[in-house]
């Protein structure tokens, strides 16, 4: 795939093929990243819906007739809950971040451009965090800033030292702490750095010197406005420039004025020089950067009279950048001083990740003259347009990330709420279970009235039997409380009568009991089981044993007689069942 302007750039700027390919590569990477982000977002939206669906499923509440909660459904929900928790947990894996400190000696349009590129470069390594500090041309401030960056726990330091010697101790301190240091664009006098990256400042000065010779046709007077004293680009550009001029005896440097890279200082210095050298004639001013050259130009214009040629260095793209100044003939020439912040980040990440890297990197650069300024400007505008598109994509990706974070928080909140609901759900479930168990107990105890010591339901004890009948309709009876349907109460009274009538019948079957009740065997089983939690056969046996218990207490009959009287065919089996029910053998009850 080729981006629309690739053809244009490759054909019009064959030298910049590499840059163009790099740009396209970045677009591709960013595009890929956006797709990943969208997929992640989709994943979260999917989870949100999932949570929503779970939320919509009503919790089943148990009913009072004993038809309990839909247990498979409950199990299903618990499984869903844990599946959801696992999925969410898997979504939130954080990455290790590399914290890179960037110590800029100054703050100007050249640095702004570079910082923007550093940020953009960092964006392509999503495990990188940048911390910027600008020293505004102050050695003292830069030393403090480096120390505090190091103190803040950065993993790597990128530094453009204000001057060669003054910043070195702070850089050495960082390096000695084991922090990799990339020195860029300006040098130090120490060997304690991991990598150095810059354009060749000596070469820049030399090429500019050669240009000046040819521009002046080997004859003329030059005024040089230097960069900050003690900064390596100022020293090297001067050396290169002077070395080139040595070759042309007709071109001489009238004076090298001390500047500090800023326009106001250049203006002031030039103004003073002009008023002190009223008769001097300058053919060309070489400002060591474009801003310096423009400061000197301002002083010459104010001075009135003639205007020499002005050459600078930096050749920035964009509004009022060096390239435009050359195209508009405000400057005669400039030299592109590459910023390449993205390249710096790539180098930093390679160092941090233990990948191979170049210790010394010299960046390519080029002279800007009236001949190529127009084309270079078009190219740079195109690159800037692409940069803006990258910015837009970046912004878009940031928004995605932001939304993703918000969704993650919402998901966790939802998960918390679901967890809470599950707890409430389980508590309600347990409560209902307990309630039903109590109801069953009450039904059995009150309606069925099987507790032997409480109510002897025998023909011999009609009063108590009557009292039980009364209890069936009594206001105090739990079985006829609002939540216990009257039908259940009636059903159970009727069932009790049927069972009692058949107690002595050892051959009685569930079918017989069901027939007595006017129900099918299955119907009887279901109803009894639902209300009492026991089967009809179990209740029948319990009733037999209870009657036996009462007979043991209230009659002189032998254990065998009682066994037969309550429908057991084998006294020994009766004794076994009795022991199971009451923990004592029948004989012990009488003692
Ligand atoms: C930016 C700058 C550039 C100059 C460079 C020298 O801060 O002043 O204009 O070319 O630094 O280091």
């Amino acid at each position: 795939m080729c981006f629309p302007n690739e053809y244009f750039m490759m054909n019009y700027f064959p030298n910049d093929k590499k840059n163009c390919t790099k740009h396209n590569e970045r677009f591709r990477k960013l595009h890929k990243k956006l797709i990943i982000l969208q997929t992640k977002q989709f994943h979260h939206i999917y989870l949100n819906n999932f949570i929503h669906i779970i939320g919509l499923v009503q919790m089943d509440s148990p009913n009072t007739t004993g038809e309990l909660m839909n247990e498979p459904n409950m199990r299903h929900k618990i499984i869903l809950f844990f599946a959801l928790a696992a999925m969410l947990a898997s979504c939130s894996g954080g990455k290790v971040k590399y914290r890179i400190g960037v110590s800029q000696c100054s703050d100007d349009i050249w640095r702004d451009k570079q910082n923007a590129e550093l940020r953009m470069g960092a964006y392509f390594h999503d495990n990188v965090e940048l911390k910027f500090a600008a020293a505004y041309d102050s050695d003292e401030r830069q030393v403090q800033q480096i120390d505090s960056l190091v103190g803040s726990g950065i993993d790597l330091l990128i530094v453009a030292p204000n001057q060669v010697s003054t910043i070195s101790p702070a850089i050495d301190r960082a390096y000695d702490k084991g922090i990799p240091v990339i020195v860029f664009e300006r040098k130090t006098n120490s060997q304690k750095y991991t990598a150095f990256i810059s354009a060749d400042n000596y070469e820049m000065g030399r090429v500019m010197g050669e240009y000046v010779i040819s521009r002046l046709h080997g004859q003329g007077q030059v005024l040089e406005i230097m960069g900050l004293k003690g900064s390596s680009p100022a020293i090297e550009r001067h050396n290169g420039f002077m070395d080139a001029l040595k070759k042309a005896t007709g071109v001489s440097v009238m004076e090298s004025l001390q500047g500090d890279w800023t326009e106001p200082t250049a203006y002031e210095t030039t103004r003073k020089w002009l008023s002190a050298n009223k008769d001097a004639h300058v053919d060309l001013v070489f400002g060591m950067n474009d801003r310096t050259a423009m400061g000197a130009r301002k002083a010459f214009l104010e001075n009135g009279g003639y205007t020499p040629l002005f050459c600078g260095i930096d050749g920035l793209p964009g509004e009022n950048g060096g390239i435009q100044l050359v195209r508009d003939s405000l400057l005669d020439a400039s030299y592109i001083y590459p910023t390449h912040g993205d390249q710096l980040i790539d180098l930093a990440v390679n160092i941090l990740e233990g990948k191979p890297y170049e210790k010394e990197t010299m960046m390519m650069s080029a002279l800007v003259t009236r001949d190529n300024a127009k084309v270079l400007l078009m190219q740079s505008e195109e690159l800037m347009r692409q940069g803006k598109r990258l910015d837009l994509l970046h912004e878009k990706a940031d928004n995605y990330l932001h939304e993703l974070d918000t969704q993650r928080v919402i998901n966790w909140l939802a998960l918390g709420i679901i967890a809470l609901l599950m707890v409430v759900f389980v508590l309600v479930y347990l409560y209902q279970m307990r309630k039903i168990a109590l109801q069953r107990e009450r039904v059995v105890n009150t309606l069925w009235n099987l507790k032997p010591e409480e109510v002897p339901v025998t023909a011999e004890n009609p009063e108590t039997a009557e009292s039980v009948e009364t209890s069936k309709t009594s206001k105090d009876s739990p079985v006829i409380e609002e939540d216990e349907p009257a039908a259940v109460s009636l059903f159970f009274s009727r069932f009790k009568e049927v069972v009692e009538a058949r107690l002595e019948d050892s051959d009685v079957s569930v079918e017989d009991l069901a027939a007595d009740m006017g129900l099918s065997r299955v119907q009887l089983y279901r109803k009894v089981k639902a209300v009492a939690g026991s089967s009809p056969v179990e209740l029948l046996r319990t009733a037999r044993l209870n009657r036996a218990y009462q007979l043991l207490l209230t009659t002189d009959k032998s254990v065998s007689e009682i066994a037969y009287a309550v429908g057991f065919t084998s006294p020994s089996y009766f004794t076994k069942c009795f022991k199971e029910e009451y923990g004592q053998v029948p004989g012990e009850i009488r003692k």
Side-chain angles (χ1 to χ4, degrees):
M1 184 176 144
C2 181
F3 286 93
N5 59 342
E6 192 170 18
Y7 174 81
F8 167 80
M9 293 182 67
M10 285 196 172
N11 285 281
Y12 286 81
F13 309 105
N15 290 343
D16 218 23
K17 263 186 196 170
K18 206 173 146 199
N19 218 346
C20 173
T21 318
K22 211 168 116 188
H23 238 79
N24 285 325
E25 186 47 37
R26 287 183 183 280
F27 266 109
R28 261 179 227 116
K29 270 194 191 171
L30 189 55
H31 191 233
K32 207 168 132 196
K33 197 166 170 179
L34 276 172
I35 290 172
I36 294 170
L37 283 173
Q38 275 169 336
T39 316
K40 273 193 189 174
Q41 199 185 33
F42 170 79
H43 185 53
H44 273 256
I45 289 168
Y46 165 75
L47 285 177
N48 271 347
N49 288 340
F50 189 57
I51 291 171
H52 189 61
I53 290 163
I54 292 185
L56 285 180
V57 178
Q58 293 286 313
M59 285 197 291
D60 304 317
S61 52
N63 64 35
T64 47
T65 55
E67 279 164 19
L68 299 178
M69 292 176 172
N70 186 342
E71 288 193 27
N73 199 359
M74 161 94 169
R75 231 176 295 133
H76 194 200
K77 280 180 193 167
I78 292 173
I79 292 167
L80 282 182
F81 169 72
F82 285 111
L84 178 67
M87 279 170 86
L88 276 179
S90 71
C91 284
S92 55
K95 271 193 178 177
V96 186
K97 285 231 168 194
Y98 292 131
R99 285 171 306 267
I100 298 178
V102 181
S103 167
Q104 292 280 19
C105 53
S106 193
D107 186 44
D108 46 62
I109 51 169
W110 191 91
R111 306 276 157 199
D112 287 350
K113 180 171 181 279
Q114 188 174 54
N115 288 348
E117 289 164 357
L118 284 165
R119 275 189 210 99
M120 187 59 78
Y123 187 66
F124 289 93
H125 306 274
D126 51 7
N127 47 2
V128 166
E129 188 183 275
L130 293 176
K131 286 184 173 188
F132 288 95
Y136 299 94
D137 309 302
S138 154
D139 293 335
E140 220 174 273
R141 193 175 294 140
Q142 189 166 28
V143 166
Q144 268 174 14
Q145 287 176 340
I146 292 174
D147 285 341
S148 96
L149 280 173
V150 169
S152 75
I154 52 166
D155 301 302
L156 184 142
L157 175 69
I158 293 177
V159 55
N162 197 38
Q163 296 189 53
V164 175
S165 53
T166 45
I167 313 299
S168 296
I171 296 177
D172 290 356
R173 277 196 289 279
Y175 188 85
D176 288 341
K177 281 197 172 156
I179 295 171
V181 176
I182 299 177
V183 177
F184 77 94
E185 184 263 313
R186 296 190 191 181
K187 291 178 179 165
T188 65
N189 58 7
S190 157
Q191 287 306 305
K192 293 188 173 174
Y193 63 89
T194 316
F196 173 73
I197 181 165
S198 175
D200 189 337
N201 280 290
Y202 175 86
E203 182 63 7
M204 233 173 269
R206 195 190 62 75
V207 171
M208 191 51 87
E210 282 181 355
Y211 172 78
V212 167
I213 296 167
S214 85
R215 188 74 176 92
L216 297 179
H217 306 292
Q219 210 65 51
Q221 306 265 57
V222 176
L223 180 66
E224 186 188 32
I225 321 281
M226 307 265 291
L228 179 73
K229 196 172 181 198
S231 69
S232 69
I235 298 164
E236 290 172 356
R237 287 174 195 181
H238 173 75
N239 291 341
F241 190 66
M242 290 315 217
D243 286 351
L245 292 196
K246 275 181 202 156
K247 290 181 199 153
T249 45
V251 179
S252 61
V253 174
M254 302 167 78
E255 194 148 354
S256 291
L257 301 179
Q258 188 58 60
D260 61 1
W261 303 117
T262 67
E263 188 174 331
T265 306
Y267 162 75
E268 205 41 45
T269 321
T270 312
R271 197 184 60 76
K272 279 189 189 143
W273 185 85
L274 281 172
S275 62
N277 298 273
K278 287 209 167 40
D279 301 330
H281 182 87
V282 179
D283 297 299
L284 188 144
V285 176
F286 169 44
M288 278 199 179
N289 62 1
D290 294 339
R291 285 175 292 140
T292 303
M294 288 304 283
R297 187 173 183 276
K298 192 177 161 200
F300 268 94
L301 289 178
E302 265 182 29
N303 194 43
Y306 73 100
T307 315
L309 296 172
F310 294 92
C311 293
I313 286 181
D314 276 352
L316 285 173
E319 193 76 9
N320 294 324
I323 303 177
Q324 198 188 70
L325 296 175
V326 174
R327 187 204 60 182
D328 297 345
S329 301
L330 299 176
L331 292 183
D332 187 67
S334 182
Y335 200 101
I336 295 173
Y337 192 42
T339 40
H340 290 196
D342 50 342
Q343 205 176 329
L344 254 173
I345 288 292
D346 291 347
L347 173 65
V349 171
N350 280 349
I351 293 171
L352 285 166
E353 290 182 345
K355 292 184 183 156
Y357 64 91
E358 296 287 333
K359 184 159 167 104
E360 313 275 335
T361 307
M362 278 298 158
M363 293 185 284
M364 298 292 287
S365 190
L367 195 66
V368 184
T369 65
R370 282 172 305 168
D371 297 336
N372 66 1
K374 224 172 177 175
V375 175
L376 284 174
L377 201 66
M378 277 164 69
Q379 180 193 20
S380 61
E381 273 166 6
E382 192 51 46
L383 285 169
M384 279 165 75
R385 222 169 54 77
Q386 289 215 17
K388 277 192 188 132
R389 279 172 59 195
L390 271 175
D391 267 347
L392 268 177
L393 280 174
H394 183 179
E395 210 175 284
K396 214 169 160 186
D398 271 354
N399 287 343
Y400 273 129
L401 279 174
H402 186 72
E403 277 174 34
L404 205 64
D405 280 350
T406 318
Q407 273 176 7
R408 195 169 276 162
V409 171
I410 292 172
N411 284 352
W412 279 113
L413 272 176
L415 195 62
I417 292 169
I418 291 174
L420 209 72
L421 284 175
M422 293 297 281
V423 170
V424 171
F425 178 68
V426 168
L427 288 176
V428 168
Y429 174 78
L430 292 175
Y431 170 77
Q432 293 291 354
M433 292 289 285
R434 177 82 194 119
K435 201 170 149 193
I436 286 161
L438 283 172
Q439 278 170 357
R440 279 178 183 162
E441 216 175 286
R442 283 200 305 249
V443 167
V444 173
N445 290 348
T446 317
L447 264 180
W448 194 244
N449 196 14
L450 293 177
K451 275 209 175 144
E453 54 285 339
E454 280 177 9
V455 190
V457 191
T458 63
E460 295 95 291
N461 200 345
E463 288 148 47
T464 328
E466 200 181 290
S467 79
V468 174
E469 287 300 320
T470 320
S471 82
K472 283 187 288 191
T473 51
S474 154
K475 241 178 121 198
D476 301 335
S477 169
V479 292
I480 48 173
E481 280 169 7
E482 319 81 3
D483 61 340
E484 199 64 51
V488 175
S489 172
L490 277 174
F491 166 78
F492 231 71
S493 305
R494 172 87 188 103
F495 184 56
K496 193 191 83 168
E497 278 166 21
V498 165
V499 169
E500 279 170 358
R502 295 280 200 159
L503 267 192
E504 290 164 21
D505 183 355
S506 58
D507 294 331
V508 73
S509 65
V510 182
E511 279 83 355
D512 297 332
L513 295 176
D516 292 353
M517 292 288 289
L519 294 170
S520 74
R521 190 182 58 82
V522 175
Q523 278 174 327
L524 179 71
Y525 177 85
R526 278 208 193 127
K527 283 198 165 199
V528 170
K529 184 82 180 169
V531 177
S534 310
S535 69
V537 172
E538 284 165 347
L539 284 183
L540 175 65
R541 206 182 61 162
T542 315
R544 287 186 203 282
L545 292 170
N546 276 287
R547 173 72 62 82
Y549 194 105
Q550 289 146 15
L551 293 176
L552 282 167
L553 291 177
T554 56
T555 67
D556 296 331
K557 286 181 183 173
S558 71
V559 170
S560 301
E561 281 170 337
I562 289 175
Y564 295 125
V566 296
F568 279 84
T569 48
S570 150
S572 59
Y573 180 61
F574 163 71
T575 304
K576 183 175 169 279
C577 294
F578 195 93
K579 174 101 198 271
E580 272 170 22
E581 184 77 12
Y582 302 114
Q584 290 175 302
V585 291
E588 287 173 316
I589 299 295
R590 286 211 166 120
K591 282 177 195 161

